[in-house]
Amino acid sequence: MLTIDCKEVASIQNELLVYVADKVEAIPTLKNRQFTLSTFDDDAILDVELVISAIKEYFDSIHEGSNFAVISNNNFINITSISGKVIERDTQKPHDNMFSCTHCGFMTKYQVELNVHMRIHYM
């Protein structure tokens, strides 16, 4: 499992998560200003270089590639602003206090609803 820190790009975290997870074929899990990626197969290992490449590719696609560095340290990837610039975009609705299923990505704002949903994976 890899953790990607998105503190400096929190406003585009969701788009980045979807892009990278799709590129590397991984299961994303949303956290507060971070997201994690895990493999579909428990025995498989995510290629850190492939994830970093996908992140850089996303930043290039939004013309921010030269403003951010992507640094890895074991299973933790940090996205850092080179110039001190932070990406800010208007978000329609903040995703604070959202809970995400680690198995399928189902999202809800209620912990109880997530707990009920998680049970279906173990039936």
Side-chain angles (χ1 to χ4, degrees):
M1 179 169 36
L2 293 175
T3 301
I4 294 87
D5 182 29
C6 298
K7 277 184 240 164
E8 296 186 21
V9 293
S11 65
I12 62 165
Q13 176 180 346
N14 294 337
E15 295 102 12
L16 178 64
L17 172 141
V18 170
Y19 184 86
V20 173
D22 189 45
K23 267 301 202 194
V24 299
E25 298 177 357
I27 302 169
T29 304
L30 202 58
K31 293 185 173 185
N32 189 24
R33 299 186 187 268
Q34 293 181 343
F35 65 89
T36 60
L37 296 172
S38 53
T39 59
F40 290 104
D41 182 16
D42 291 335
D43 297 330
I45 298 173
L46 280 171
D47 183 3
V48 177
E49 294 301 318
L50 183 62
V51 173
I52 290 172
S53 175
I55 293 170
K56 288 181 179 180
E57 190 176 300
Y58 176 77
F59 281 117
D60 287 340
S61 74
I62 62 169
H63 309 292
E64 292 287 350
S66 61
N67 294 326
F68 290 91
V70 183
I71 304 164
S72 72
N73 184 11
N74 295 328
N75 290 333
F76 189 82
I77 297 174
N78 190 11
I79 301 169
T80 306
S81 175
I82 295 170
S83 62
K85 178 183 177 183
V86 177
I87 296 177
E88 294 180 10
R89 290 195 178 160
D90 294 332
T91 55
Q92 296 175 351
K93 186 176 181 181
H95 286 65
D96 292 341
N97 302 323
M98 291 294 285
F99 299 97
S100 175
C101 176
T102 56
H103 300 288
C104 68
F106 169 77
M107 291 183 61
T108 180
K109 60 182 179 176
Y110 303 107
Q111 178 71 43
V112 174
E113 186 177 9
L114 177 65
N115 292 341
V116 171
H117 167 83
M118 293 284 284
R119 290 182 191 153
I120 68 169
H121 292 291
Y122 298 103
M123 292 181 124

